[in-house]
Amino acid sequence: MMRRTTDLAMRLQEVLLDGTWIANTNFKMQIESISWKEATFKLEKLHTIASLTYHIDYYLGGILQVFEGGNLEIRDKYSFDMPEIHSEETWNIIKNQFLSHATMFVDFVKNMPENLLDEPFVDVKYGTYQRNIEGVIEHCYYHLGQVSLIKKMIT
């Protein structure tokens, strides 16, 4: 029988880094194949691919901080406060940070003690670690769908 942590890590790996089972794509596949100009191209009132990538990375980084014993300091109101991107270099920094956090997140979940999944995440009001990890997976798929559609519209 597969451990719950292994199953959750595989689902995170799928949406973030190298899977194609659910959406026939993943975040890494979507963001690695576009330029900074495409990533920052603004379609009407939609978020850009860069801002959606930053947004997901913001949450990955904030939750990783908790995983590493720190405080929960992220706030929804700051989750789209992305620095301006004016070059391929800046876009690469954002992509590389996202991919680094994604890899670290998957590894942490894969290696975390199974019993931690049932523990409160920071505070009882936030639910358990498992609920929060599943929320990250759902949140990633939601925004991956947006990224995929925006990419199709601009390329």
Side-chain angles (χ1 to χ4, degrees), residues 17-18 24 47 49 62 64 71 75 80 88-89 94 98 108 118 124 134 145 149 155:
L17 298 167
D18 65 15
N24 203 34
H47 289 291
I49 292 172
L64 273 169
N71 294 323
R75 300 292 177 263
F80 281 104
E88 199 68 40
E89 181 181 358
I94 288 172
F98 170 87
F108 184 89
D118 300 315
V124 174
E134 288 174 344
L149 287 172
T155 57

PDB file of all heavy atoms in Angstrom, residues 17-18 24 47 49 62 64 71 75 80 88-89 94 98 108 118 124 134 145 149 155:
ATOM      1  N   LEU A  17       5.836  19.665 -12.035  1.00  0.00           N
ATOM      2  CA  LEU A  17       7.130  19.437 -12.663  1.00  0.00           C
ATOM      3  C   LEU A  17       7.169  18.507 -13.871  1.00  0.00           C
ATOM      4  O   LEU A  17       7.903  18.776 -14.820  1.00  0.00           O
ATOM      5  CB  LEU A  17       8.122  18.926 -11.611  1.00  0.00           C
ATOM      6  CG  LEU A  17       8.381  19.907 -10.473  1.00  0.00           C
ATOM      7  CD1 LEU A  17       9.111  19.218  -9.333  1.00  0.00           C
ATOM      8  CD2 LEU A  17       9.159  21.103 -10.991  1.00  0.00           C
ATOM      9  N   ASP A  18       6.454  17.404 -13.839  1.00  0.00           N
ATOM     10  CA  ASP A  18       6.682  16.508 -14.977  1.00  0.00           C
ATOM     11  C   ASP A  18       5.539  15.576 -15.335  1.00  0.00           C
ATOM     12  O   ASP A  18       5.737  14.597 -16.022  1.00  0.00           O
ATOM     13  CB  ASP A  18       7.969  15.707 -14.780  1.00  0.00           C
ATOM     14  CG  ASP A  18       7.910  14.748 -13.605  1.00  0.00           C
ATOM     15  OD1 ASP A  18       6.816  14.465 -13.090  1.00  0.00           O
ATOM     16  OD2 ASP A  18       8.987  14.283 -13.198  1.00  0.00           O
ATOM     17  N   ASN A  24      -2.597  16.841 -19.186  1.00  0.00           N
ATOM     18  CA  ASN A  24      -1.757  16.660 -20.372  1.00  0.00           C
ATOM     19  C   ASN A  24      -0.630  17.689 -20.436  1.00  0.00           C
ATOM     20  O   ASN A  24      -0.075  17.948 -21.498  1.00  0.00           O
ATOM     21  CB  ASN A  24      -2.594  16.670 -21.657  1.00  0.00           C
ATOM     22  CG  ASN A  24      -1.884  15.953 -22.784  1.00  0.00           C
ATOM     23  OD1 ASN A  24      -1.170  14.977 -22.560  1.00  0.00           O
ATOM     24  ND2 ASN A  24      -2.047  16.450 -23.992  1.00  0.00           N
ATOM     25  N   HIS A  47      -4.749  37.765 -15.706  1.00  0.00           N
ATOM     26  CA  HIS A  47      -3.387  37.776 -15.175  1.00  0.00           C
ATOM     27  C   HIS A  47      -2.443  37.330 -16.275  1.00  0.00           C
ATOM     28  O   HIS A  47      -2.843  36.647 -17.224  1.00  0.00           O
ATOM     29  CB  HIS A  47      -3.259  36.813 -13.991  1.00  0.00           C
ATOM     30  CG  HIS A  47      -3.963  37.270 -12.764  1.00  0.00           C
ATOM     31  ND1 HIS A  47      -3.554  38.356 -12.028  1.00  0.00           N
ATOM     32  CD2 HIS A  47      -5.056  36.789 -12.128  1.00  0.00           C
ATOM     33  CE1 HIS A  47      -4.356  38.526 -11.005  1.00  0.00           C
ATOM     34  NE2 HIS A  47      -5.280  37.594 -11.039  1.00  0.00           N
ATOM     35  N   ILE A  49       0.959  35.109 -17.521  1.00  0.00           N
ATOM     36  CA  ILE A  49       1.556  33.828 -17.153  1.00  0.00           C
ATOM     37  C   ILE A  49       2.606  34.052 -16.069  1.00  0.00           C
ATOM     38  O   ILE A  49       2.698  33.274 -15.114  1.00  0.00           O
ATOM     39  CB  ILE A  49       2.137  33.122 -18.388  1.00  0.00           C
ATOM     40  CG1 ILE A  49       0.996  32.692 -19.306  1.00  0.00           C
ATOM     41  CG2 ILE A  49       3.003  31.932 -17.988  1.00  0.00           C
ATOM     42  CD1 ILE A  49       1.429  32.156 -20.662  1.00  0.00           C
ATOM     43  N   GLY A  62       5.916  30.206   0.899  1.00  0.00           N
ATOM     44  CA  GLY A  62       5.369  30.481   2.227  1.00  0.00           C
ATOM     45  C   GLY A  62       5.069  29.225   3.022  1.00  0.00           C
ATOM     46  O   GLY A  62       5.302  29.163   4.233  1.00  0.00           O
ATOM     47  N   LEU A  64       6.529  26.284   2.415  1.00  0.00           N
ATOM     48  CA  LEU A  64       7.843  25.679   2.684  1.00  0.00           C
ATOM     49  C   LEU A  64       8.457  26.263   3.946  1.00  0.00           C
ATOM     50  O   LEU A  64       9.091  25.549   4.724  1.00  0.00           O
ATOM     51  CB  LEU A  64       8.791  25.915   1.506  1.00  0.00           C
ATOM     52  CG  LEU A  64       8.748  24.898   0.386  1.00  0.00           C
ATOM     53  CD1 LEU A  64       9.530  25.395  -0.820  1.00  0.00           C
ATOM     54  CD2 LEU A  64       9.263  23.546   0.841  1.00  0.00           C
ATOM     55  N   ASN A  71       7.403  30.557  10.583  1.00  0.00           N
ATOM     56  CA  ASN A  71       6.030  31.045  10.746  1.00  0.00           C
ATOM     57  C   ASN A  71       5.313  31.137   9.412  1.00  0.00           C
ATOM     58  O   ASN A  71       5.942  31.261   8.354  1.00  0.00           O
ATOM     59  CB  ASN A  71       6.049  32.435  11.388  1.00  0.00           C
ATOM     60  CG  ASN A  71       6.581  32.400  12.801  1.00  0.00           C
ATOM     61  OD1 ASN A  71       6.327  31.457  13.546  1.00  0.00           O
ATOM     62  ND2 ASN A  71       7.331  33.418  13.177  1.00  0.00           N
ATOM     63  N   ARG A  75       0.354  36.216   2.905  1.00  0.00           N
ATOM     64  CA  ARG A  75      -0.984  36.810   2.961  1.00  0.00           C
ATOM     65  C   ARG A  75      -1.517  36.911   1.536  1.00  0.00           C
ATOM     66  O   ARG A  75      -0.791  37.338   0.630  1.00  0.00           O
ATOM     67  CB  ARG A  75      -0.946  38.208   3.592  1.00  0.00           C
ATOM     68  CG  ARG A  75      -0.418  38.248   5.022  1.00  0.00           C
ATOM     69  CD  ARG A  75      -1.383  37.560   5.988  1.00  0.00           C
ATOM     70  NE  ARG A  75      -0.881  37.520   7.346  1.00  0.00           N
ATOM     71  CZ  ARG A  75      -0.254  36.487   7.897  1.00  0.00           C
ATOM     72  NH1 ARG A  75      -0.004  35.402   7.190  1.00  0.00           N
ATOM     73  NH2 ARG A  75       0.132  36.521   9.147  1.00  0.00           N
ATOM     74  N   PHE A  80       0.126  38.465  -5.479  1.00  0.00           N
ATOM     75  CA  PHE A  80       0.366  38.869  -6.875  1.00  0.00           C
ATOM     76  C   PHE A  80       1.320  40.061  -6.958  1.00  0.00           C
ATOM     77  O   PHE A  80       1.443  40.681  -8.015  1.00  0.00           O
ATOM     78  CB  PHE A  80      -0.956  39.206  -7.587  1.00  0.00           C
ATOM     79  CG  PHE A  80      -1.724  37.991  -8.029  1.00  0.00           C
ATOM     80  CD1 PHE A  80      -2.842  37.568  -7.321  1.00  0.00           C
ATOM     81  CD2 PHE A  80      -1.333  37.264  -9.149  1.00  0.00           C
ATOM     82  CE1 PHE A  80      -3.554  36.452  -7.736  1.00  0.00           C
ATOM     83  CE2 PHE A  80      -2.045  36.148  -9.560  1.00  0.00           C
ATOM     84  CZ  PHE A  80      -3.162  35.740  -8.850  1.00  0.00           C
ATOM     85  N   GLU A  88      14.667  38.804 -20.147  1.00  0.00           N
ATOM     86  CA  GLU A  88      14.671  37.349 -20.050  1.00  0.00           C
ATOM     87  C   GLU A  88      15.332  36.907 -18.743  1.00  0.00           C
ATOM     88  O   GLU A  88      14.916  35.935 -18.120  1.00  0.00           O
ATOM     89  CB  GLU A  88      15.412  36.752 -21.255  1.00  0.00           C
ATOM     90  CG  GLU A  88      15.104  35.297 -21.518  1.00  0.00           C
ATOM     91  CD  GLU A  88      13.684  35.051 -21.996  1.00  0.00           C
ATOM     92  OE1 GLU A  88      13.148  35.824 -22.814  1.00  0.00           O
ATOM     93  OE2 GLU A  88      13.087  34.054 -21.547  1.00  0.00           O
ATOM     94  N   GLU A  89      16.342  37.654 -18.322  1.00  0.00           N
ATOM     95  CA  GLU A  89      17.063  37.328 -17.090  1.00  0.00           C
ATOM     96  C   GLU A  89      16.125  37.357 -15.883  1.00  0.00           C
ATOM     97  O   GLU A  89      16.140  36.447 -15.049  1.00  0.00           O
ATOM     98  CB  GLU A  89      18.223  38.306 -16.883  1.00  0.00           C
ATOM     99  CG  GLU A  89      19.026  38.021 -15.641  1.00  0.00           C
ATOM    100  CD  GLU A  89      20.166  39.014 -15.433  1.00  0.00           C
ATOM    101  OE1 GLU A  89      20.366  39.916 -16.266  1.00  0.00           O
ATOM    102  OE2 GLU A  89      20.831  38.891 -14.397  1.00  0.00           O
ATOM    103  N   ILE A  94      12.549  34.268 -11.884  1.00  0.00           N
ATOM    104  CA  ILE A  94      11.225  33.886 -11.374  1.00  0.00           C
ATOM    105  C   ILE A  94      10.944  32.416 -11.679  1.00  0.00           C
ATOM    106  O   ILE A  94      10.485  31.663 -10.808  1.00  0.00           O
ATOM    107  CB  ILE A  94      10.133  34.818 -11.938  1.00  0.00           C
ATOM    108  CG1 ILE A  94      10.274  36.190 -11.278  1.00  0.00           C
ATOM    109  CG2 ILE A  94       8.733  34.235 -11.728  1.00  0.00           C
ATOM    110  CD1 ILE A  94       9.416  37.274 -11.854  1.00  0.00           C
ATOM    111  N   PHE A  98      10.626  29.385  -8.889  1.00  0.00           N
ATOM    112  CA  PHE A  98       9.422  28.551  -8.893  1.00  0.00           C
ATOM    113  C   PHE A  98       9.809  27.069  -8.953  1.00  0.00           C
ATOM    114  O   PHE A  98       9.321  26.255  -8.163  1.00  0.00           O
ATOM    115  CB  PHE A  98       8.527  28.913 -10.080  1.00  0.00           C
ATOM    116  CG  PHE A  98       7.395  27.958 -10.289  1.00  0.00           C
ATOM    117  CD1 PHE A  98       6.199  28.130  -9.614  1.00  0.00           C
ATOM    118  CD2 PHE A  98       7.516  26.873 -11.140  1.00  0.00           C
ATOM    119  CE1 PHE A  98       5.149  27.239  -9.786  1.00  0.00           C
ATOM    120  CE2 PHE A  98       6.481  25.979 -11.320  1.00  0.00           C
ATOM    121  CZ  PHE A  98       5.292  26.159 -10.637  1.00  0.00           C
ATOM    122  N   PHE A 108       9.843  17.608   0.266  1.00  0.00           N
ATOM    123  CA  PHE A 108       9.439  17.666   1.670  1.00  0.00           C
ATOM    124  C   PHE A 108       8.235  16.766   1.913  1.00  0.00           C
ATOM    125  O   PHE A 108       8.224  15.984   2.863  1.00  0.00           O
ATOM    126  CB  PHE A 108       9.124  19.093   2.134  1.00  0.00           C
ATOM    127  CG  PHE A 108       8.815  19.135   3.594  1.00  0.00           C
ATOM    128  CD1 PHE A 108       9.828  19.321   4.529  1.00  0.00           C
ATOM    129  CD2 PHE A 108       7.523  18.931   4.073  1.00  0.00           C
ATOM    130  CE1 PHE A 108       9.562  19.307   5.894  1.00  0.00           C
ATOM    131  CE2 PHE A 108       7.240  18.914   5.427  1.00  0.00           C
ATOM    132  CZ  PHE A 108       8.265  19.108   6.344  1.00  0.00           C
ATOM    133  N   ASP A 118      -1.925  14.453   9.576  1.00  0.00           N
ATOM    134  CA  ASP A 118      -3.146  14.608  10.382  1.00  0.00           C
ATOM    135  C   ASP A 118      -3.036  15.691  11.441  1.00  0.00           C
ATOM    136  O   ASP A 118      -4.002  15.966  12.158  1.00  0.00           O
ATOM    137  CB  ASP A 118      -3.494  13.269  11.051  1.00  0.00           C
ATOM    138  CG  ASP A 118      -3.737  12.177  10.022  1.00  0.00           C
ATOM    139  OD1 ASP A 118      -4.440  12.445   9.028  1.00  0.00           O
ATOM    140  OD2 ASP A 118      -3.199  11.063  10.201  1.00  0.00           O
ATOM    141  N   VAL A 124      -5.375  25.244  14.181  1.00  0.00           N
ATOM    142  CA  VAL A 124      -6.509  24.368  13.875  1.00  0.00           C
ATOM    143  C   VAL A 124      -7.422  24.982  12.815  1.00  0.00           C
ATOM    144  O   VAL A 124      -7.971  24.272  11.971  1.00  0.00           O
ATOM    145  CB  VAL A 124      -7.302  24.043  15.176  1.00  0.00           C
ATOM    146  CG1 VAL A 124      -8.566  23.258  14.870  1.00  0.00           C
ATOM    147  CG2 VAL A 124      -6.428  23.280  16.145  1.00  0.00           C
ATOM    148  N   GLU A 134      -3.353  19.159  -0.167  1.00  0.00           N
ATOM    149  CA  GLU A 134      -4.358  18.927  -1.203  1.00  0.00           C
ATOM    150  C   GLU A 134      -4.863  20.251  -1.772  1.00  0.00           C
ATOM    151  O   GLU A 134      -5.117  20.360  -2.981  1.00  0.00           O
ATOM    152  CB  GLU A 134      -5.513  18.097  -0.647  1.00  0.00           C
ATOM    153  CG  GLU A 134      -5.130  16.655  -0.414  1.00  0.00           C
ATOM    154  CD  GLU A 134      -6.208  15.831   0.270  1.00  0.00           C
ATOM    155  OE1 GLU A 134      -7.166  16.411   0.851  1.00  0.00           O
ATOM    156  OE2 GLU A 134      -6.090  14.599   0.232  1.00  0.00           O
ATOM    157  N   GLY A 145      -4.578  25.612 -15.526  1.00  0.00           N
ATOM    158  CA  GLY A 145      -5.588  25.748 -16.580  1.00  0.00           C
ATOM    159  C   GLY A 145      -5.584  27.149 -17.166  1.00  0.00           C
ATOM    160  O   GLY A 145      -5.654  27.322 -18.388  1.00  0.00           O
ATOM    161  N   LEU A 149      -4.504  28.165 -21.083  1.00  0.00           N
ATOM    162  CA  LEU A 149      -5.393  28.922 -21.980  1.00  0.00           C
ATOM    163  C   LEU A 149      -4.764  30.234 -22.440  1.00  0.00           C
ATOM    164  O   LEU A 149      -4.846  30.574 -23.625  1.00  0.00           O
ATOM    165  CB  LEU A 149      -6.727  29.205 -21.281  1.00  0.00           C
ATOM    166  CG  LEU A 149      -7.658  28.016 -21.116  1.00  0.00           C
ATOM    167  CD1 LEU A 149      -8.856  28.387 -20.245  1.00  0.00           C
ATOM    168  CD2 LEU A 149      -8.120  27.512 -22.472  1.00  0.00           C
ATOM    169  N   THR A 155       0.152  32.587 -28.230  1.00  0.00           N
ATOM    170  CA  THR A 155       1.175  32.001 -29.113  1.00  0.00           C
ATOM    171  C   THR A 155       0.570  31.471 -30.396  1.00  0.00           C
ATOM    172  O   THR A 155      -0.600  31.357 -30.559  1.00  0.00           O
ATOM    173  CB  THR A 155       1.945  30.852 -28.403  1.00  0.00           C
ATOM    174  OG1 THR A 155       1.027  29.871 -27.978  1.00  0.00           O
ATOM    175  CG2 THR A 155       2.747  31.388 -27.245  1.00  0.00           C
TER     176      THR A 155
END
